[in-house]
């Protein structure tokens, strides 16, 4: 295959023609499609026979391909790489992490993910990356970034790997409701456009029990109130049942991981309309390559405990009709492989339509973006393509061959 790439000018009056496009809201494939892009918006979606032949369009022929709206990943960490030595990476400088975020933003976009939510990075590295993308200086997806994940002293999202005499504390650490509010405000001050709290222990931290609640209800509620008052969506890292329930009661917008969900927790999520983000692919990478990458045995053992429980919770939540979004926790596996999760979502209970909806209309709804997530007139021109029909073979989402974001083509692979 040959790849062509256009940078930094916006496409004007571009005409895309393709075999079909996926109407993700209706869950069906529409044959013989023509899409007119004006500036960065979708101006017309119609049949190819309806396009006047005398118009001066910039034609992009995508024959043999199926078009979809650009997909979204609601849980990534662009500033880290799964392939790096785990403990060495704990000591990377903020400039080093920023370089990684720039690299991984590009890889993520080329995989067809035109929008992501980054749920935690040191030193506002990803906020700087987002701003560089928005300024047209570097290439990457739209980014919602939380800045520092907010945690208790010694909890998941604190730095527990350094020796005690170094007195190292992660920048998002706070204890008590008003201190938590202050951390939310600090993140917003330095550019966060989303917020995340760590409500329970986690797999890749030291000294935390993965299912145990670590933020109190009052602490979570203070973060929710502050975030919502400022107009931001807030996520909660929550593996354990009590932390999940406390987060739902507090009004958290999305629960991340959702590993140990009993029936009551799922019912609460459905009733509250809480979005669930379950990273059910990355365990394969951790169990296959974690030890070679220096992940301590204690952390791998926690992953083994979480893996099947999380997939069982995912299946039950899907069956119950919970709001599900696509969240992969990229950085626990290599960036750019985000699309591998689609087939696992189908394997563990979703239809292909539901998996695509999780990564499009549901994620757009979570972010409160009414111009993303569909190929529809008036929506932003985020359009990707695969060779075939993903509603018949969801694994096609692992090989995106065309990427347009904001009306600009970043990837176009042509069969020789």
């Amino acid at each position: 295959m040959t790849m062509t790439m256009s940078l930094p000018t916006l496409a004007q009056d571009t005409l895309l023609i393709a075999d079909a496009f996926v109407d993700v809201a209706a869950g069906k494939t529409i044959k013989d499609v023509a899409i007119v892009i004006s500036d960065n918006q979708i101006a017309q979606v119609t049949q190819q026979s309806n396009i006047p032949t005398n118009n001066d369009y910039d034609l992009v022929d995508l024959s043999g391909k199926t078009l979809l709206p650009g997909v979204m990943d609601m849980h990534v960490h662009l500033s880290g790489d799964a392939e790096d030595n785990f403990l060495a990476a704990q000591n990377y400088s903020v400039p080093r992490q920023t370089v990684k975020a720039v690299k991984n933003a590009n890889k993520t976009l080329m995989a067809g993910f035109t929008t992501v939510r980054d749920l935690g990075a040191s030193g506002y590295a990803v906020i700087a990356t987002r701003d560089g993308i928005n300024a047209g200086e570097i290439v990457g997806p739209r980014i919602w970034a939380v800045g520092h994940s907010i945690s208790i002293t010694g909890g998941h999202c604190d730095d527990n790997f350094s020796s005690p005499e170094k007195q190292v504390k992660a920048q998002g650490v706070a204890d008590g409701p008003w201190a938590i509010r202050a951390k939310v405000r600090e993140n917003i001050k330095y550019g966060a456009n989303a917020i995340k709290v760590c409500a329970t222990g986690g797999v890749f931290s030291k000294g935390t029990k993965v299912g145990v609640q670590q933020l109190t209800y009052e602490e979570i509620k203070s973060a929710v109130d502050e975030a919502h008052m400022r107009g931001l969506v807030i996520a909660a890292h929550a593996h354990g049942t009590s932390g999940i329930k406390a987060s739902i009661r507090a009004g958290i917008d999305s629960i991340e991981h959702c590993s140990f969900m009993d029936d009551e927790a799922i019912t609460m999520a459905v009733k509250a309309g809480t979005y669930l983000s379950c990273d059910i692919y990355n365990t394969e990478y951790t169990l296959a390559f974690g030890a070679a990458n220096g992940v301590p045995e204690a952390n791998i053992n926690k992953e083994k405990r979480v893996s099947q429980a999380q997939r069982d919770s995912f299946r039950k939540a899907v069956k119950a009709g919970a709001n599900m979004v696509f969240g992969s926790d990229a950085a626990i596996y290599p960036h750019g492989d985000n699309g591998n999760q689609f087939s696992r979502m189908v394997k563990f209970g979703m239809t292909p339509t539901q998996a695509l909806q999780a990564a499009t209309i549901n994620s757009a709804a979570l972010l409160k973006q009414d111009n993303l997530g569909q190929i529809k007139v008036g929506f932003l021109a985020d359009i990707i393509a695969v060779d075939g029909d993903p509603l018949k073979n969801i694994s096609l989402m692992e090989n995106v061959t065309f990427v347009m974001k904001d009306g600009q083509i970043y990837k176009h692979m042509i069969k020789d």
Side-chain angles (χ1 to χ4, degrees), residues 278-285 311 314-315 318 326 337-350 355 394-395 398:
C278 305
D279 49 318
I280 58 172
Y281 164 66
N282 63 40
T283 185
E284 297 175 30
Y285 184 87
R311 288 171 166 183
F314 175 84
R315 191 188 298 275
V318 170
F326 187 107
D337 289 347
N338 311 58
N340 292 5
Q341 181 164 289
F342 281 108
S343 63
R344 278 60 170 190
M345 294 169 83
V346 172
K347 179 179 179 180
F348 293 102
M350 283 187 168
I394 195 65
S395 295
E398 298 171 16

Side-chain angles (χ1 to χ4, degrees), residues 121-138:
S122 299
Y124 307 105
V126 175
I127 289 175
T129 302
R130 178 202 67 199
D131 292 348
I133 292 167
N134 292 346
E137 297 164 344
I138 54 178

Side-chain angles (χ1 to χ4, degrees), residues 256-267:
E256 310 301 310
H257 309 300
C258 316
S259 296
F260 304 107
M261 294 189 76
D262 61 15
D263 291 342
E264 182 186 27
I266 292 172
T267 299

